Amino acid sequence: MHPTPFSSQKSLTIMALQQPFLSELLLHSSSIRTTLPKSSLFSLQIPQRFNLYLQNKQIKKQGTSCYAIAENLEAEDQSLILENSSLDELRGQREIVGYDWTEEWYPLYLTKNVPNDAPLGLTVFDKQVVLYKDGSGELRCFEDRCPHRLAKLSEGQLYDGKLECLYHGWQFDGDGKCVKIPQLPENAKIPRSACTKTYEIRDSQGVVWIWMSHGTPPNINKIPWFENFERKGFRDISTIHELPYDHSILLENLMDPAHVPISHDRTDFTAKREDAGPLFFEVTERTNRGFAGWWGKERDQGKANYTPNFLRFESPCVLQNNREIVDESGEKHYFSGLFLCRPSGQGKSMLIVRFGNTRKRTGILKFIPNWFLHQNASKVFEQDMGFLSSQNEILMKEKVPTKKLYLNLKSSDTWVAEYRKWMDKVGHGMPYHFGHSTIFLPQQPAVVEHAPAGFVANFSAAQPAKGGIGGIYAPNPANRYFRHVVHCRDCSNVVKAFETWKKALSVIALVSTAFAILVSGRQWKALLLLSTSLCLAGAYACSTAIAMNTTNFIRTHRRL
């Protein structure tokens, strides 16, 4: 795989986790020049400037209602709106390719965050699986239900390296074979049918991938490989987030650079709403497994040493951005931004975000802890959460393809249209899909899952609740702790450490205050009261850090 360009600056490490498309927002340093890959596949031919105007919607009036459907465009709109129908569609033809969603590798989890002491329940579309490490530390994956009475094995525990169902104590080895049933008579043999369905998994470059098919042998060549992650000195900051909307909505959002200046205004100094403007796009590759191309700010075209950004989407749900940068000393640096998405059920998704580079942290960047970057990344997803969830809801209610609902602009929505058109090709091979001109709804609506029994079964049997609902540990998709911290070993340990320090400092402050009351010397009183003040300040700082990791972002323009 040839390296492809993406952005980096001195502040790259901080900004990487915050903005999927930070490349257009970071300042271009005059001391850095960029180089393009020598590839015959992609030629850097940037399209001419688009003439964009504010009149960007075709409005169809009916009484007092307006419909943003780009049909029968008037002349002044044709230069602004992406055409909804290709010539093939107009002729009644549509490209359909062979596709089976189970014959793909899905990013299951970050390897470093898989618990050593407990099983982990996860889902791919509607298939529930349990991931764990056996006695030798090897990763194993089964269907998440006990063959006895269907209890979730992820509710169980690891006992002598075996996965034990906590309902009746049945134990399973790494191959899914039941090796112990406490209720059997002493000399009785364990039935051969007392086994679990296993899934093939692979640990590749720090990510656990799962092959969902049981009828087709796993195709190792389909596991994505990211060249930059193997380079000498490459370091990455990775986070994982559980999100309450469909994976296609998530991927759309990650492909949408136009929303960053508005939605994430002032999240950091790179995102400013006054920087919002028209973008240009050039699709350089379309295949049965995705698409790729260049994009950038329209006003930056023609600038000296300007390099547009490169985006690549690959089946089933991998989005990547890369860039090579040559610094003032002539040393080449590599940067990668990866978005590995996993469909975790209708209206739910899980995202692994991986940003890394070969450039060392300098200045203040060396002292910024990873947990701070992680919580700021959570803030970015929370800023998008409300309107993405509502978008998901409207798609389910309207029950029509996106070309009937979306008003896609040439200057902002090219990747969105490309993605939904790719869905038209392969949607027939998925459990459900929302395509550009096709749609297949889930056979079982998501609302069924939220019925009382489904709510309890789905939530209380998930991490981190494990049998109960309540407090900070309740598995609530609107709770930052549930969506990120419980899946991140580093952040979980940080929260526990801050909680310990908060309690210790509070006790010391209490004891110091008591002694200040009892002693008679003024100097001792002053010293003890100073100690109390410092301890209370420390406890407050710990509380603030805990809140940063567990409390959702709220926009200041909302009065709550």
Side-chain angles (χ1 to χ4, degrees):
M1 180 183 298
H2 292 282
T4 50
F6 196 65
S7 67
S8 180
Q9 284 283 0
K10 188 174 182 179
S11 60
L12 181 62
T13 307
I14 288 184
M15 306 311 153
L17 283 176
Q18 301 174 8
Q19 306 294 354
F21 292 97
L22 79 166
S23 55
E24 278 303 301
L25 303 174
L26 291 175
L27 302 174
H28 291 281
S29 169
S30 59
S31 63
I32 295 178
R33 65 184 177 87
T34 57
T35 59
L36 298 179
K38 295 180 180 179
S39 171
S40 58
L41 271 178
F42 308 111
S43 60
L44 183 56
Q45 299 176 349
I46 306 302
Q48 296 296 320
R49 286 176 180 263
F50 295 129
N51 296 319
L52 300 174
Y53 304 94
L54 295 178
Q55 301 93 338
N56 56 12
K57 290 185 178 181
Q58 165 68 22
I59 303 298
K60 181 179 179 181
K61 294 183 178 180
Q62 182 177 358
T64 59
S65 300
C66 295
Y67 297 88
I69 302 175
E71 298 288 353
N72 302 319
L73 296 178
E74 296 180 4
E76 65 268 23
D77 289 331
Q78 291 178 352
S79 64
L80 307 177
I81 310 297
L82 283 170
E83 294 183 5
N84 270 348
S85 300
S86 65
L87 290 176
D88 286 341
E89 285 182 275
L90 293 174
R91 298 188 186 110
Q93 301 173 340
R94 180 167 64 88
E95 183 181 4
I96 300 176
V97 300
Y99 190 82
D100 184 341
W101 75 272
T102 66
E103 296 178 6
E104 299 286 349
W105 291 96
Y106 292 85
L108 198 57
Y109 218 65
L110 281 171
T111 308
K112 66 179 183 180
N113 288 334
V114 177
N116 294 319
D117 56 356
L120 181 66
L122 303 166
T123 58
V124 181
F125 280 113
D126 60 342
K127 302 298 183 182
Q128 297 179 335
V129 301
V130 56
L131 178 68
Y132 75 98
K133 292 182 180 179
D134 63 17
S136 61
E138 187 174 350
L139 290 166
R140 304 288 187 174
C141 189
F142 304 154
E143 183 180 27
D144 193 11
R145 69 181 187 185
C146 180
H148 178 211
R149 298 262 289 279
L150 310 183
K152 278 193 171 185
L153 291 173
S154 58
E155 280 281 292
Q157 64 183 351
L158 300 182
Y159 194 89
D160 289 339
K162 301 176 183 63
L163 180 57
E164 180 181 81
C165 177
L166 267 181
Y167 197 4
H168 293 90
W170 289 30
Q171 293 181 3
F172 302 88
D173 64 14
D175 296 324
K177 179 182 177 181
C178 184
V179 293
K180 182 177 181 180
I181 299 179
Q183 295 78 22
L184 280 181
E186 185 175 350
N187 296 322
K189 290 186 178 181
I190 296 175
R192 295 181 60 184
S193 57
C195 60
T196 65
K197 185 184 294 184
T198 61
Y199 285 90
E200 292 283 347
I201 55 174
R202 294 291 187 277
D203 180 0
S204 177
Q205 297 182 296
V207 176
V208 181
W209 299 83
I210 182 171
W211 179 261
M212 295 305 299
S213 176
H214 286 101
T216 305
N219 184 347
I220 303 300
N221 295 326
K222 279 189 173 183
I223 298 180
W225 180 258
F226 308 107
E227 182 180 354
N228 283 350
F229 281 76
E230 298 303 312
R231 296 186 185 277
K232 183 179 180 180
F234 194 88
R235 296 166 301 278
D236 77 288
I237 299 175
S238 302
T239 62
I240 187 167
H241 306 267
E242 199 158 356
L243 300 165
Y245 39 83
D246 189 72
H247 77 284
S248 65
I249 299 291
L250 170 60
L251 283 168
E252 244 190 30
N253 176 247
L254 296 172
M255 295 175 185
D256 176 19
H259 85 283
V260 174
I262 304 297
S263 303
H264 308 303
D265 180 31
R266 266 65 182 187
T267 298
D268 57 66
F269 69 81
T270 66
K272 299 177 182 178
R273 63 179 299 106
E274 55 266 29
D275 290 336
L279 307 173
F280 68 82
F281 300 86
E282 183 186 17
V283 181
T284 57
E285 179 185 359
R286 292 185 182 95
T287 71
N288 294 341
R289 297 191 59 78
F291 54 89
W294 305 94
W295 69 273
K297 286 185 179 179
E298 188 185 64
R299 65 172 177 260
D300 287 340
Q301 294 185 75
K303 289 184 178 179
N305 297 325
Y306 173 67
T307 303
N309 304 277
F310 189 83
L311 175 145
R312 175 183 289 277
F313 167 74
E314 295 180 273
S315 175
C317 40
V318 173
L319 187 67
Q320 63 169 311
N321 301 273
N322 302 296
R323 193 174 187 176
E324 297 177 6
I325 294 178
V326 180
D327 62 19
E328 55 274 15
S329 65
E331 183 179 359
K332 183 179 289 187
H333 300 282
Y334 300 87
F335 173 81
S336 287
L338 302 178
F339 304 93
L340 310 178
C341 178
R342 170 165 52 83
S344 55
Q346 185 193 340
K348 296 184 296 182
S349 55
M350 181 168 276
L351 176 69
I352 296 174
V353 185
R354 306 195 71 187
F355 281 92
N357 61 78
T358 55
R359 194 171 188 174
K360 295 181 179 179
R361 291 191 189 185
T362 58
I364 193 174
L365 298 181
K366 295 187 295 185
F367 303 100
I368 296 178
N370 284 348
W371 68 263
F372 181 85
L373 300 176
H374 286 204
Q375 66 83 29
N376 212 43
S378 295
K379 181 195 298 185
V380 171
F381 288 109
E382 288 155 8
Q383 290 170 337
D384 290 340
M385 191 179 300
F387 47 79
L388 294 183
S389 297
S390 64
Q391 180 183 356
N392 200 149
E393 181 180 348
I394 291 173
L395 283 175
M396 287 301 300
K397 285 182 177 179
E398 295 291 339
K399 298 181 174 62
V400 294
T402 60
K403 80 172 184 178
K404 297 293 185 182
L405 299 171
Y406 288 8
L407 191 66
N408 289 326
L409 300 179
K410 292 180 179 179
S411 55
S412 64
D413 305 312
T414 295
W415 302 139
V416 172
E418 287 292 328
Y419 175 60
R420 292 300 177 183
K421 290 178 180 179
W422 176 80
M423 281 285 203
D424 288 340
K425 290 184 181 181
V426 304
H428 63 91
M430 303 175 70
Y432 57 86
H433 80 282
F434 303 96
H436 177 71
S437 59
T438 62
I439 185 172
F440 177 68
L441 296 176
Q443 295 181 346
Q444 180 172 303
V447 70
V448 173
E449 184 178 290
H450 297 284
F455 178 87
V456 174
N458 188 54
F459 274 14
S460 69
Q463 295 276 14
K466 289 285 186 179
I469 296 177
I472 189 176
Y473 302 103
N476 180 352
N479 180 311
R480 183 181 293 187
Y481 185 93
F482 171 72
R483 286 184 291 99
H484 169 67
V485 176
V486 69
H487 297 291
C488 177
R489 183 175 298 178
D490 291 341
C491 289
S492 180
N493 290 337
V494 164
V495 170
K496 292 176 183 177
F498 277 127
E499 288 175 338
T500 301
W501 275 105
K502 176 185 175 182
K503 293 175 182 177
L505 291 170
S506 299
V507 170
I508 295 173
L510 181 62
V511 172
S512 181
T513 302
F515 276 108
I517 295 173
L518 295 175
V519 300
S520 56
R522 290 184 178 181
Q523 291 182 340
W524 281 107
K525 282 183 180 292
L527 184 61
L528 289 169
L529 289 176
L530 176 61
S531 175
T532 298
S533 299
L534 292 175
C535 288
L536 290 177
Y540 177 78
C542 290
S543 295
T544 302
I546 293 170
M548 290 174 69
N549 283 281
T550 58
T551 305
N552 279 13
F553 166 82
I554 298 176
R555 294 189 186 276
T556 55
H557 70 263
R558 295 187 177 178
R559 302 291 183 260
L560 299 179

